[in-house]
Amino acid sequence: MKLIDIARVIRTKNSGPFIITIDIIFKDEQMYYKLKKRNYFSSDWWASLYNIPPEDVLSVFYFDPAFAVKANIKRYISSGDFGDSDVYGAQQHAPLLEVEIEDENG
Amino acid sequence: MIKIYSPTAILGYGFPLESHKEAYREKPDLIAVDAGSTDPGPYYLGKGISFVEAEAVKRDLSLLLTLAKDLDIPLIIGSAGGCGTKSSVDFTYSIVESLCKELNIHFKVSIIYTDVDKERVKKALKDGNIRSLDGSFELNESIIDRCTNITAQIGIEPFMEAIKEDAQVIIAGRSYDPAPFAVIPVMKGYDMGLSLHLGKILECGAIASEPGSGRDGLIGVLSSDYFDVFPLNPRRRCTVLSVSAHTLYEKSDPYHLAGPDGTISLEETKFSQINERMVRVTGTKFIPPKEKWIKIEGAEFIGFRSVCFAGIRDPIFISQIDNILSEMELITKENFPDWIDKFKIHFHLYGKNGVMGKWEKNKEACHEIGLLIEVLSENEKIAKTVIGFIRSTLLHYGYPGRISTAGNLAFPFSPSDVIWGEVFRFSIYHLIKENYLDISIIKKEV
């Protein structure tokens, strides 16, 4: 299944000038807990999605009250510095829109 | 119980009059509004100016000052003027002053300046009392010298002082977003964790509702062991999802929100739907800090930017674009050997990695590309000369297999090049030990 079909919010934004924070909020509580239990969204998963070294994935959180997953990624250019292309960091979510989630039940 | 009115996400973003009328009916005990953010980038802090126009701030303030007078309640503004420097606090104060004259209303105003003197930052650095925060660069004396403005993000304490001195309107420099909302509740004895958490939800106005909006208001009602939030606009509602999801917003750790006063812990927080439009929050705890470290922010001037924008449609050109542009960079450096270290070139290829750069997975180019050429230099003359050289050379560049020998670029404008202006970089985003700060409070009557 596609992530876009099971998530109601997929967004990115700055968390300060040096970090992009990525939120996925799931539609369904069960699906959220299922993926959380498998730690589906590991640092390595994010690293491969954004083609970055795993150490640039600064942290990953599962936030139960909102059925949400959050990852924090180090910006390679700080917000508004020369060569930056996204001052607010609000358009870095696109790779997630195409992601396939592998269901363990096939 | 204490009722707090948050009219909008940023002072000057506006709010519907209908919602504001609703706020009158709610009879809040306090109006608090956040005015700032680092979101629009380093330029505003670097220049010490507001990213919201004065007339827009005036529009919002005329309504809020009138409400504060009519209900005889305080109005607290945090991160005044956006970046919260002295210049932006003074910008906000001058609007308040002229409005009060126009409206013939009077207040005791306290102004809190949060600027940090460079020598104090250098001293703290020397003493080992500066810490890097959230991936910020390592600091040194010359970076500090190049920063045009440095501000400290204050917590509730300076606000407390201002309130003790009977301020009815507080205009504060760079502030922790929840602080203007939380200070009076905390002074009245309400729980610190709940007060700050409520402030965190209120500071973005109606963004924490559904449909969310940064230009509409929210009401928070704080009690001894919970708080409720609901929007003023009947077309919006607060839901468990909208409020809990807002806790994630723009924060790196959703369970521990660190600030100048300490940390809000959400490990035991519960969100529950009280009615169609209202959410109740319980269980948020406050963890006091062992030592007080305050965030400071500074932006350094890094040069002048010139830009040129052009469209490219020729598929033969597009198929070779990466090679052509790296060749272009070499030719430019070769042409200006005396300036070789004095300029930088960046090509934004909209239609091919323009938005995501090296994070982009889809490397395929579109059938047309928007090319934004950007040059940074220490002076305007070099920036202008180099962008002109790149524009004219690229326009007529003879790449292999070229068929369209009249020109490679479609310019939407004449002139096609422009000096965009000064460029800044966030260089200070660090923590400093509180005792190096010198926060000053000035009392005025308007």
Side-chain angles (χ1 to χ4, degrees), chain B residues 60-75:
Chain B
D60 287 4
L61 275 177
S62 70
L63 294 164
L64 298 178
L65 288 166
T66 306
L67 175 61
K69 194 44 109 186
D70 288 348
L71 299 185
D72 190 25
I73 58 173
L75 167 64

mmCIF file of all heavy atoms in Angstrom, chain B residues 60-75:
data_model
loop_
_atom_site.group_PDB
_atom_site.id
_atom_site.type_symbol
_atom_site.label_atom_id
_atom_site.label_comp_id
_atom_site.label_asym_id
_atom_site.label_seq_id
_atom_site.Cartn_x
_atom_site.Cartn_y
_atom_site.Cartn_z
ATOM 1 N N ASP B 60 -4.198 45.223 13.154
ATOM 2 C CA ASP B 60 -4.450 44.257 14.238
ATOM 3 C C ASP B 60 -4.403 44.946 15.598
ATOM 4 O O ASP B 60 -5.251 44.726 16.465
ATOM 5 C CB ASP B 60 -3.400 43.132 14.216
ATOM 6 C CG ASP B 60 -3.617 42.157 13.065
ATOM 7 O OD1 ASP B 60 -4.533 42.396 12.245
ATOM 8 O OD2 ASP B 60 -2.867 41.158 12.984
ATOM 9 N N LEU B 61 -3.395 45.806 15.773
ATOM 10 C CA LEU B 61 -3.225 46.444 17.085
ATOM 11 C C LEU B 61 -4.374 47.385 17.415
ATOM 12 O O LEU B 61 -4.754 47.518 18.579
ATOM 13 C CB LEU B 61 -1.892 47.202 17.131
ATOM 14 C CG LEU B 61 -0.670 46.368 17.505
ATOM 15 C CD1 LEU B 61 0.597 47.212 17.436
ATOM 16 C CD2 LEU B 61 -0.816 45.771 18.921
ATOM 17 N N SER B 62 -4.949 48.045 16.405
ATOM 18 C CA SER B 62 -6.043 48.971 16.712
ATOM 19 C C SER B 62 -7.199 48.201 17.351
ATOM 20 O O SER B 62 -7.819 48.659 18.311
ATOM 21 C CB SER B 62 -6.490 49.732 15.464
ATOM 22 O OG SER B 62 -7.139 48.854 14.580
ATOM 23 N N LEU B 63 -7.472 47.008 16.854
ATOM 24 C CA LEU B 63 -8.558 46.191 17.407
ATOM 25 C C LEU B 63 -8.177 45.626 18.777
ATOM 26 O O LEU B 63 -8.990 45.605 19.704
ATOM 27 C CB LEU B 63 -8.891 45.046 16.442
ATOM 28 C CG LEU B 63 -9.477 45.490 15.103
ATOM 29 C CD1 LEU B 63 -9.408 44.372 14.073
ATOM 30 C CD2 LEU B 63 -10.928 45.950 15.296
ATOM 31 N N LEU B 64 -6.937 45.190 18.921
ATOM 32 C CA LEU B 64 -6.520 44.547 20.176
ATOM 33 C C LEU B 64 -6.377 45.565 21.311
ATOM 34 O O LEU B 64 -6.753 45.288 22.449
ATOM 35 C CB LEU B 64 -5.213 43.773 19.964
ATOM 36 C CG LEU B 64 -5.295 42.628 18.938
ATOM 37 C CD1 LEU B 64 -3.941 41.947 18.773
ATOM 38 C CD2 LEU B 64 -6.354 41.595 19.345
ATOM 39 N N LEU B 65 -5.827 46.745 20.995
ATOM 40 C CA LEU B 65 -5.696 47.774 22.036
ATOM 41 C C LEU B 65 -7.075 48.239 22.504
ATOM 42 O O LEU B 65 -7.304 48.459 23.692
ATOM 43 C CB LEU B 65 -4.887 48.966 21.503
ATOM 44 C CG LEU B 65 -3.380 48.733 21.321
ATOM 45 C CD1 LEU B 65 -2.757 49.830 20.474
ATOM 46 C CD2 LEU B 65 -2.669 48.634 22.681
ATOM 47 N N THR B 66 -7.994 48.349 21.547
ATOM 48 C CA THR B 66 -9.357 48.765 21.914
ATOM 49 C C THR B 66 -10.010 47.717 22.817
ATOM 50 O O THR B 66 -10.626 48.049 23.832
ATOM 51 C CB THR B 66 -10.214 48.982 20.642
ATOM 52 O OG1 THR B 66 -9.518 49.892 19.800
ATOM 53 C CG2 THR B 66 -11.569 49.528 20.964
ATOM 54 N N LEU B 67 -9.834 46.460 22.475
ATOM 55 C CA LEU B 67 -10.400 45.384 23.310
ATOM 56 C C LEU B 67 -9.762 45.392 24.703
ATOM 57 O O LEU B 67 -10.463 45.259 25.714
ATOM 58 C CB LEU B 67 -10.172 44.026 22.630
ATOM 59 C CG LEU B 67 -10.602 42.782 23.414
ATOM 60 C CD1 LEU B 67 -12.100 42.794 23.716
ATOM 61 C CD2 LEU B 67 -10.264 41.507 22.650
ATOM 62 N N ALA B 68 -8.445 45.570 24.741
ATOM 63 C CA ALA B 68 -7.753 45.595 26.032
ATOM 64 C C ALA B 68 -8.298 46.730 26.904
ATOM 65 O O ALA B 68 -8.494 46.565 28.109
ATOM 66 C CB ALA B 68 -6.250 45.760 25.816
ATOM 67 N N LYS B 69 -8.559 47.878 26.262
ATOM 68 C CA LYS B 69 -9.091 49.025 27.009
ATOM 69 C C LYS B 69 -10.521 48.756 27.452
ATOM 70 O O LYS B 69 -10.884 48.940 28.609
ATOM 71 C CB LYS B 69 -9.000 50.274 26.118
ATOM 72 C CG LYS B 69 -9.193 51.595 26.822
ATOM 73 C CD LYS B 69 -8.472 51.704 28.109
ATOM 74 C CE LYS B 69 -7.317 52.564 28.261
ATOM 75 N NZ LYS B 69 -6.580 52.531 29.499
ATOM 76 N N ASP B 70 -11.349 48.272 26.512
ATOM 77 C CA ASP B 70 -12.773 48.054 26.811
ATOM 78 C C ASP B 70 -12.966 47.056 27.951
ATOM 79 O O ASP B 70 -13.848 47.223 28.793
ATOM 80 C CB ASP B 70 -13.514 47.541 25.565
ATOM 81 C CG ASP B 70 -13.680 48.633 24.519
ATOM 82 O OD1 ASP B 70 -13.431 49.808 24.858
ATOM 83 O OD2 ASP B 70 -14.023 48.311 23.359
ATOM 84 N N LEU B 71 -12.169 45.999 27.962
ATOM 85 C CA LEU B 71 -12.336 44.966 28.998
ATOM 86 C C LEU B 71 -11.383 45.178 30.175
ATOM 87 O O LEU B 71 -11.423 44.413 31.139
ATOM 88 C CB LEU B 71 -12.115 43.564 28.406
ATOM 89 C CG LEU B 71 -13.051 43.108 27.279
ATOM 90 C CD1 LEU B 71 -12.754 41.652 26.919
ATOM 91 C CD2 LEU B 71 -14.514 43.254 27.657
ATOM 92 N N ASP B 72 -10.513 46.172 30.048
ATOM 93 C CA ASP B 72 -9.508 46.456 31.068
ATOM 94 C C ASP B 72 -8.659 45.209 31.380
ATOM 95 O O ASP B 72 -8.549 44.766 32.519
ATOM 96 C CB ASP B 72 -10.171 46.996 32.345
ATOM 97 C CG ASP B 72 -9.141 47.522 33.337
ATOM 98 O OD1 ASP B 72 -8.040 47.907 32.891
ATOM 99 O OD2 ASP B 72 -9.438 47.538 34.552
ATOM 100 N N ILE B 73 -8.093 44.645 30.313
ATOM 101 C CA ILE B 73 -7.239 43.463 30.458
ATOM 102 C C ILE B 73 -5.884 43.734 29.793
ATOM 103 O O ILE B 73 -5.782 44.594 28.918
ATOM 104 C CB ILE B 73 -7.886 42.195 29.827
ATOM 105 C CG1 ILE B 73 -8.199 42.412 28.331
ATOM 106 C CG2 ILE B 73 -9.131 41.795 30.598
ATOM 107 C CD1 ILE B 73 -8.681 41.174 27.603
ATOM 108 N N PRO B 74 -4.850 43.032 30.203
ATOM 109 C CA PRO B 74 -3.527 43.274 29.605
ATOM 110 C C PRO B 74 -3.392 42.716 28.187
ATOM 111 O O PRO B 74 -4.058 41.741 27.829
ATOM 112 C CB PRO B 74 -2.560 42.549 30.542
ATOM 113 C CG PRO B 74 -3.373 41.748 31.479
ATOM 114 C CD PRO B 74 -4.818 42.065 31.299
ATOM 115 N N LEU B 75 -2.518 43.364 27.434
ATOM 116 C CA LEU B 75 -2.143 42.886 26.092
ATOM 117 C C LEU B 75 -0.634 42.655 26.098
ATOM 118 O O LEU B 75 0.136 43.570 26.403
ATOM 119 C CB LEU B 75 -2.505 43.938 25.034
ATOM 120 C CG LEU B 75 -1.900 43.735 23.636
ATOM 121 C CD1 LEU B 75 -2.403 42.452 22.983
ATOM 122 C CD2 LEU B 75 -2.224 44.921 22.722
#
